[in-house]
Amino acid sequence: MEKQSNVGICELCGNEAVLQDSHFIPKAIYKKFSNIKEKGTSLYLMNNGESFPLSTQIKAHKFCSKCEGLFSKNGEQYFIDNALYQRALISEEQYSQKPENERRFKSYQEYIKNNIPYLVRFFIENIGYTTNIIEYIKPALSETEIDSLCYFAISIFWRGSLQWAIKPQYNLPNDVLREMKDYLLQKNKNITTFVIKIDISPPCYYVSGVNFPAKIRDDLYRFSIDSFIFTLEILTRPSSNGEYLLFGFNFPIAKSNFENFKRLFDKSEKKGNVPDELHYLKK
Ligand SMILES: [Zn+2]
């Protein structure tokens, strides 16, 4: 018999259905990090000042299987395949210390070049890293790719407004929530109340992890996954110019994202019996 306790109202479509074991941050992303982590290291989850090996993921019975399918098909898979490193990146020093038979590339530069995900390469070639704040621009990606990135970003920002077991919720204005839900349910693609800006961390501020969605200001929310920093900016006046997904490079944002992650990790109480140094934070 089906477990009756899992039947409820799906928080996205509003239909009564068997609710899935839904994840705040998609399960496939945990899985990806798990696959690419260095041998002998652990994944960490930081919450409320504690840091512990990632065995419990933030999840709850929230969405029906149909809506879970929408999340996965419309955004997650594209992001995972094109934005995330396929394996853990190590420093130049660590690379040079590897035994010769484990160094597949002639130089560290070659090693880096061969591991760069498609979207990071696209970003470097089209926008580039600069120490000056540049204007955010609509990326020259196909409509489908822009939709996939947008869908992914909206799904995470929207999920941040829901109640999860161990993550404090933030509220988003009703008109923003309405547009987000309509977009996620594919009822309306017209976004007018907010803009999503994507910054990419340069190697010196790279965080191999997730900064959960958080409110920065009433009109500003942010999360990051791997090199990608997503910022949701709520507009004071609705705009319908179709430029709701922008790419840019803002050095202070990358720096503060990195420092925020490092500060949270350093001050967290370490749980579990595993080494608690993050190799890529050693600078
Ligand atoms: Zn649903």
Side-chain angles (χ1 to χ4, degrees):
M1 216 177 85
E2 194 75 60
K3 265 203 277 170
Q4 288 303 307
S5 59
N6 291 354
V7 174
I9 302 293
C10 169
E11 295 200 25
L12 181 58
C13 67
N15 293 330
E16 193 179 65
V18 175
L19 300 180
Q20 308 296 299
D21 213 4
S22 306
H23 283 69
F24 183 4
I25 299 297
K27 192 180 174 184
I29 293 199
Y30 287 102
K31 205 166 157 236
K32 187 74 186 175
F33 276 115
S34 214
N35 290 343
I36 65 168
K37 73 187 175 62
E38 282 273 275
K39 238 200 279 176
T41 64
S42 291
L43 288 181
Y44 276 90
L45 178 69
M46 285 183 278
N47 187 66
N48 290 338
E50 289 181 351
S51 147
F52 41 91
L54 186 59
S55 47
T56 24
Q57 303 170 359
I58 303 179
K59 53 188 182 175
H61 295 292
K62 289 214 174 284
F63 313 122
C64 69
S65 60
K66 209 175 136 204
C67 289
E68 286 282 0
L70 291 177
F71 288 141
S72 160
K73 183 181 77 167
N74 292 321
E76 278 166 34
Q77 208 49 54
Y78 173 82
F79 183 76
I80 289 167
D81 292 344
N82 296 292
L84 298 183
Y85 281 88
Q86 302 302 307
R87 57 180 77 92
L89 277 196
I90 54 173
S91 70
E92 187 160 8
E93 197 191 340
Q94 287 166 320
Y95 189 77
S96 66
Q97 284 164 359
K98 270 181 176 288
E100 205 164 333
N101 59 351
E102 284 182 30
R103 276 180 270 146
R104 285 177 50 221
F105 302 103
K106 268 191 237 124
S107 64
Y108 183 69
Q109 282 66 34
E110 280 288 301
Y111 157 79
I112 292 286
K113 235 172 89 186
N114 277 278
N115 281 292
I116 291 179
Y118 156 72
L119 272 177
V120 176
R121 192 175 314 124
F122 172 88
F123 178 89
I124 295 169
E125 282 164 9
N126 289 275
I127 292 159
Y129 302 128
T130 157
T131 49
N132 299 318
I133 295 172
I134 61 152
E135 232 181 281
Y136 285 81
I137 54 165
K138 190 175 175 176
L141 292 167
S142 73
E143 184 101 346
T144 321
E145 290 182 284
I146 289 178
D147 283 349
S148 300
L149 273 175
C150 205
Y151 198 98
F152 177 71
I154 291 176
S155 82
I156 303 285
F157 281 122
W158 177 72
R159 277 185 270 200
S161 75
L162 307 177
Q163 193 65 59
W164 297 87
I166 59 168
K167 180 73 196 168
Q169 145 196 54
Y170 52 70
N171 292 311
L172 291 169
N174 284 335
D175 52 347
V176 171
L177 284 175
R178 203 175 312 117
E179 275 193 353
M180 285 184 162
K181 266 179 113 163
D182 283 352
Y183 191 92
L184 295 173
L185 288 165
Q186 298 179 299
K187 284 184 184 165
N188 183 10
K189 263 178 58 174
N190 191 22
I191 290 170
T192 62
T193 59
F194 60 89
V195 171
I196 288 166
K197 292 181 173 172
I198 301 181
D199 285 88
I200 298 195
S201 309
C204 60
Y205 293 131
Y206 172 68
V207 170
S208 174
V210 177
N211 264 328
F212 278 75
K215 181 175 175 171
I216 312 264
R217 278 197 329 240
D218 276 350
D219 59 346
L220 218 60
Y221 301 77
R222 183 166 295 145
F223 72 88
S224 76
I225 298 180
D226 217 40
S227 325
F228 285 72
I229 307 166
F230 294 86
T231 303
L232 173 77
E233 221 177 275
I234 294 172
L235 300 172
T236 39
R237 263 176 309 163
S239 154
S240 52
N241 61 8
E243 299 201 345
Y244 47 78
L245 184 91
L246 302 171
F247 267 36
F249 178 69
N250 184 322
F251 206 72
I253 286 180
K255 187 165 184 263
S256 103
N257 188 62
F258 174 83
E259 284 171 351
N260 187 30
F261 189 87
K262 190 175 181 324
R263 195 182 58 241
L264 279 172
F265 186 77
D266 287 346
K267 76 170 191 199
S268 67
E269 193 190 326
K270 311 296 186 292
K271 298 270 173 122
N273 188 23
V274 287
D276 55 23
E277 265 190 16
L278 300 180
H279 69 87
Y280 57 88
L281 292 183
K282 277 192 274 170
K283 300 219 181 266

PDB file of all heavy atoms in Angstrom, residues 138-157:
ATOM      1  N   LYS A 138      23.615  40.582 -21.866  1.00  0.00           N
ATOM      2  CA  LYS A 138      22.872  39.377 -22.226  1.00  0.00           C
ATOM      3  C   LYS A 138      23.842  38.443 -22.958  1.00  0.00           C
ATOM      4  O   LYS A 138      24.436  38.842 -23.959  1.00  0.00           O
ATOM      5  CB  LYS A 138      21.699  39.775 -23.139  1.00  0.00           C
ATOM      6  CG  LYS A 138      20.729  38.646 -23.376  1.00  0.00           C
ATOM      7  CD  LYS A 138      19.523  39.127 -24.177  1.00  0.00           C
ATOM      8  CE  LYS A 138      18.636  37.943 -24.510  1.00  0.00           C
ATOM      9  NZ  LYS A 138      17.410  38.344 -25.196  1.00  0.00           N
ATOM     10  N   PRO A 139      24.048  37.225 -22.450  1.00  0.00           N
ATOM     11  CA  PRO A 139      25.045  36.358 -23.091  1.00  0.00           C
ATOM     12  C   PRO A 139      24.596  35.893 -24.473  1.00  0.00           C
ATOM     13  O   PRO A 139      23.401  35.690 -24.701  1.00  0.00           O
ATOM     14  CB  PRO A 139      25.147  35.172 -22.125  1.00  0.00           C
ATOM     15  CG  PRO A 139      23.850  35.156 -21.388  1.00  0.00           C
ATOM     16  CD  PRO A 139      23.360  36.569 -21.328  1.00  0.00           C
ATOM     17  N   ALA A 140      25.571  35.735 -25.364  1.00  0.00           N
ATOM     18  CA  ALA A 140      25.263  35.278 -26.717  1.00  0.00           C
ATOM     19  C   ALA A 140      25.090  33.765 -26.740  1.00  0.00           C
ATOM     20  O   ALA A 140      25.769  33.046 -27.463  1.00  0.00           O
ATOM     21  CB  ALA A 140      26.377  35.708 -27.662  1.00  0.00           C
ATOM     22  N   LEU A 141      24.192  33.279 -25.923  1.00  0.00           N
ATOM     23  CA  LEU A 141      23.864  31.858 -25.895  1.00  0.00           C
ATOM     24  C   LEU A 141      22.540  31.678 -26.632  1.00  0.00           C
ATOM     25  O   LEU A 141      21.796  32.648 -26.830  1.00  0.00           O
ATOM     26  CB  LEU A 141      23.686  31.395 -24.440  1.00  0.00           C
ATOM     27  CG  LEU A 141      24.940  31.376 -23.547  1.00  0.00           C
ATOM     28  CD1 LEU A 141      24.536  31.212 -22.081  1.00  0.00           C
ATOM     29  CD2 LEU A 141      25.890  30.261 -23.956  1.00  0.00           C
ATOM     30  N   SER A 142      22.236  30.443 -26.991  1.00  0.00           N
ATOM     31  CA  SER A 142      20.953  30.224 -27.676  1.00  0.00           C
ATOM     32  C   SER A 142      19.807  30.448 -26.693  1.00  0.00           C
ATOM     33  O   SER A 142      19.986  30.386 -25.478  1.00  0.00           O
ATOM     34  CB  SER A 142      20.894  28.800 -28.227  1.00  0.00           C
ATOM     35  OG  SER A 142      20.720  27.892 -27.150  1.00  0.00           O
ATOM     36  N   GLU A 143      18.637  30.681 -27.251  1.00  0.00           N
ATOM     37  CA  GLU A 143      17.429  30.895 -26.440  1.00  0.00           C
ATOM     38  C   GLU A 143      17.210  29.728 -25.473  1.00  0.00           C
ATOM     39  O   GLU A 143      16.890  29.916 -24.307  1.00  0.00           O
ATOM     40  CB  GLU A 143      16.229  31.025 -27.389  1.00  0.00           C
ATOM     41  CG  GLU A 143      14.929  31.348 -26.693  1.00  0.00           C
ATOM     42  CD  GLU A 143      14.587  32.841 -26.816  1.00  0.00           C
ATOM     43  OE1 GLU A 143      15.457  33.642 -27.199  1.00  0.00           O
ATOM     44  OE2 GLU A 143      13.449  33.161 -26.537  1.00  0.00           O
ATOM     45  N   THR A 144      17.424  28.509 -25.974  1.00  0.00           N
ATOM     46  CA  THR A 144      17.224  27.317 -25.145  1.00  0.00           C
ATOM     47  C   THR A 144      18.192  27.304 -23.972  1.00  0.00           C
ATOM     48  O   THR A 144      17.834  26.937 -22.857  1.00  0.00           O
ATOM     49  CB  THR A 144      17.469  26.040 -25.989  1.00  0.00           C
ATOM     50  OG1 THR A 144      16.936  26.268 -27.282  1.00  0.00           O
ATOM     51  CG2 THR A 144      16.876  24.817 -25.382  1.00  0.00           C
ATOM     52  N   GLU A 145      19.435  27.692 -24.238  1.00  0.00           N
ATOM     53  CA  GLU A 145      20.421  27.698 -23.164  1.00  0.00           C
ATOM     54  C   GLU A 145      20.091  28.761 -22.121  1.00  0.00           C
ATOM     55  O   GLU A 145      20.215  28.518 -20.919  1.00  0.00           O
ATOM     56  CB  GLU A 145      21.820  27.944 -23.744  1.00  0.00           C
ATOM     57  CG  GLU A 145      22.332  26.773 -24.556  1.00  0.00           C
ATOM     58  CD  GLU A 145      23.736  27.023 -25.077  1.00  0.00           C
ATOM     59  OE1 GLU A 145      23.855  27.793 -26.046  1.00  0.00           O
ATOM     60  OE2 GLU A 145      24.683  26.482 -24.502  1.00  0.00           O
ATOM     61  N   ILE A 146      19.673  29.938 -22.603  1.00  0.00           N
ATOM     62  CA  ILE A 146      19.291  31.002 -21.665  1.00  0.00           C
ATOM     63  C   ILE A 146      18.110  30.536 -20.814  1.00  0.00           C
ATOM     64  O   ILE A 146      18.096  30.698 -19.593  1.00  0.00           O
ATOM     65  CB  ILE A 146      18.977  32.314 -22.427  1.00  0.00           C
ATOM     66  CG1 ILE A 146      20.296  32.889 -22.972  1.00  0.00           C
ATOM     67  CG2 ILE A 146      18.274  33.333 -21.531  1.00  0.00           C
ATOM     68  CD1 ILE A 146      20.173  34.149 -23.777  1.00  0.00           C
ATOM     69  N   ASP A 147      17.135  29.900 -21.464  1.00  0.00           N
ATOM     70  CA  ASP A 147      15.981  29.380 -20.719  1.00  0.00           C
ATOM     71  C   ASP A 147      16.411  28.362 -19.661  1.00  0.00           C
ATOM     72  O   ASP A 147      15.906  28.368 -18.550  1.00  0.00           O
ATOM     73  CB  ASP A 147      14.988  28.694 -21.673  1.00  0.00           C
ATOM     74  CG  ASP A 147      14.155  29.713 -22.439  1.00  0.00           C
ATOM     75  OD1 ASP A 147      14.215  30.913 -22.078  1.00  0.00           O
ATOM     76  OD2 ASP A 147      13.458  29.319 -23.386  1.00  0.00           O
ATOM     77  N   SER A 148      17.340  27.481 -20.028  1.00  0.00           N
ATOM     78  CA  SER A 148      17.766  26.446 -19.081  1.00  0.00           C
ATOM     79  C   SER A 148      18.447  27.060 -17.862  1.00  0.00           C
ATOM     80  O   SER A 148      18.180  26.666 -16.727  1.00  0.00           O
ATOM     81  CB  SER A 148      18.745  25.469 -19.751  1.00  0.00           C
ATOM     82  OG  SER A 148      18.129  24.859 -20.846  1.00  0.00           O
ATOM     83  N   LEU A 149      19.331  28.026 -18.108  1.00  0.00           N
ATOM     84  CA  LEU A 149      20.021  28.680 -16.992  1.00  0.00           C
ATOM     85  C   LEU A 149      19.040  29.446 -16.122  1.00  0.00           C
ATOM     86  O   LEU A 149      19.121  29.423 -14.891  1.00  0.00           O
ATOM     87  CB  LEU A 149      21.073  29.662 -17.532  1.00  0.00           C
ATOM     88  CG  LEU A 149      22.446  29.096 -17.841  1.00  0.00           C
ATOM     89  CD1 LEU A 149      23.310  30.168 -18.481  1.00  0.00           C
ATOM     90  CD2 LEU A 149      23.128  28.563 -16.573  1.00  0.00           C
ATOM     91  N   CYS A 150      18.111  30.109 -16.791  1.00  0.00           N
ATOM     92  CA  CYS A 150      17.125  30.899 -16.085  1.00  0.00           C
ATOM     93  C   CYS A 150      16.226  29.996 -15.252  1.00  0.00           C
ATOM     94  O   CYS A 150      15.939  30.280 -14.088  1.00  0.00           O
ATOM     95  CB  CYS A 150      16.315  31.666 -17.125  1.00  0.00           C
ATOM     96  SG  CYS A 150      15.598  33.110 -16.467  1.00  0.00           S
ATOM     97  N   TYR A 151      15.798  28.903 -15.854  1.00  0.00           N
ATOM     98  CA  TYR A 151      14.920  27.967 -15.153  1.00  0.00           C
ATOM     99  C   TYR A 151      15.610  27.428 -13.903  1.00  0.00           C
ATOM    100  O   TYR A 151      15.041  27.357 -12.821  1.00  0.00           O
ATOM    101  CB  TYR A 151      14.527  26.805 -16.078  1.00  0.00           C
ATOM    102  CG  TYR A 151      13.314  26.042 -15.591  1.00  0.00           C
ATOM    103  CD1 TYR A 151      12.056  26.307 -16.098  1.00  0.00           C
ATOM    104  CD2 TYR A 151      13.438  25.069 -14.593  1.00  0.00           C
ATOM    105  CE1 TYR A 151      10.940  25.621 -15.635  1.00  0.00           C
ATOM    106  CE2 TYR A 151      12.338  24.388 -14.115  1.00  0.00           C
ATOM    107  CZ  TYR A 151      11.086  24.663 -14.646  1.00  0.00           C
ATOM    108  OH  TYR A 151       9.987  23.990 -14.174  1.00  0.00           O
ATOM    109  N   PHE A 152      16.870  27.073 -14.077  1.00  0.00           N
ATOM    110  CA  PHE A 152      17.638  26.536 -12.949  1.00  0.00           C
ATOM    111  C   PHE A 152      17.739  27.571 -11.827  1.00  0.00           C
ATOM    112  O   PHE A 152      17.453  27.295 -10.664  1.00  0.00           O
ATOM    113  CB  PHE A 152      19.030  26.117 -13.419  1.00  0.00           C
ATOM    114  CG  PHE A 152      19.890  25.628 -12.293  1.00  0.00           C
ATOM    115  CD1 PHE A 152      19.633  24.408 -11.688  1.00  0.00           C
ATOM    116  CD2 PHE A 152      20.941  26.403 -11.817  1.00  0.00           C
ATOM    117  CE1 PHE A 152      20.407  23.966 -10.624  1.00  0.00           C
ATOM    118  CE2 PHE A 152      21.718  25.967 -10.759  1.00  0.00           C
ATOM    119  CZ  PHE A 152      21.447  24.737 -10.166  1.00  0.00           C
ATOM    120  N   ALA A 153      18.144  28.795 -12.183  1.00  0.00           N
ATOM    121  CA  ALA A 153      18.324  29.850 -11.176  1.00  0.00           C
ATOM    122  C   ALA A 153      17.005  30.149 -10.468  1.00  0.00           C
ATOM    123  O   ALA A 153      16.957  30.226  -9.234  1.00  0.00           O
ATOM    124  CB  ALA A 153      18.868  31.110 -11.846  1.00  0.00           C
ATOM    125  N   ILE A 154      15.933  30.276 -11.242  1.00  0.00           N
ATOM    126  CA  ILE A 154      14.636  30.585 -10.624  1.00  0.00           C
ATOM    127  C   ILE A 154      14.209  29.455  -9.693  1.00  0.00           C
ATOM    128  O   ILE A 154      13.707  29.689  -8.599  1.00  0.00           O
ATOM    129  CB  ILE A 154      13.561  30.856 -11.710  1.00  0.00           C
ATOM    130  CG1 ILE A 154      13.870  32.176 -12.427  1.00  0.00           C
ATOM    131  CG2 ILE A 154      12.164  30.903 -11.104  1.00  0.00           C
ATOM    132  CD1 ILE A 154      12.940  32.500 -13.587  1.00  0.00           C
ATOM    133  N   SER A 155      14.435  28.216 -10.127  1.00  0.00           N
ATOM    134  CA  SER A 155      13.989  27.098  -9.286  1.00  0.00           C
ATOM    135  C   SER A 155      14.696  27.117  -7.932  1.00  0.00           C
ATOM    136  O   SER A 155      14.104  26.806  -6.908  1.00  0.00           O
ATOM    137  CB  SER A 155      14.177  25.756  -9.999  1.00  0.00           C
ATOM    138  OG  SER A 155      15.500  25.296  -9.871  1.00  0.00           O
ATOM    139  N   ILE A 156      15.954  27.513  -7.899  1.00  0.00           N
ATOM    140  CA  ILE A 156      16.684  27.551  -6.617  1.00  0.00           C
ATOM    141  C   ILE A 156      16.236  28.767  -5.786  1.00  0.00           C
ATOM    142  O   ILE A 156      15.979  28.639  -4.590  1.00  0.00           O
ATOM    143  CB  ILE A 156      18.210  27.587  -6.837  1.00  0.00           C
ATOM    144  CG1 ILE A 156      18.681  26.382  -7.671  1.00  0.00           C
ATOM    145  CG2 ILE A 156      18.957  27.643  -5.493  1.00  0.00           C
ATOM    146  CD1 ILE A 156      18.741  25.061  -6.965  1.00  0.00           C
ATOM    147  N   PHE A 157      16.153  29.940  -6.422  1.00  0.00           N
ATOM    148  CA  PHE A 157      15.713  31.125  -5.663  1.00  0.00           C
ATOM    149  C   PHE A 157      14.303  30.916  -5.101  1.00  0.00           C
ATOM    150  O   PHE A 157      14.009  31.284  -3.972  1.00  0.00           O
ATOM    151  CB  PHE A 157      15.755  32.388  -6.537  1.00  0.00           C
ATOM    152  CG  PHE A 157      17.133  32.963  -6.690  1.00  0.00           C
ATOM    153  CD1 PHE A 157      17.707  33.131  -7.946  1.00  0.00           C
ATOM    154  CD2 PHE A 157      17.868  33.355  -5.570  1.00  0.00           C
ATOM    155  CE1 PHE A 157      18.980  33.662  -8.095  1.00  0.00           C
ATOM    156  CE2 PHE A 157      19.148  33.902  -5.708  1.00  0.00           C
ATOM    157  CZ  PHE A 157      19.698  34.057  -6.972  1.00  0.00           C
TER     158      PHE A 157
END
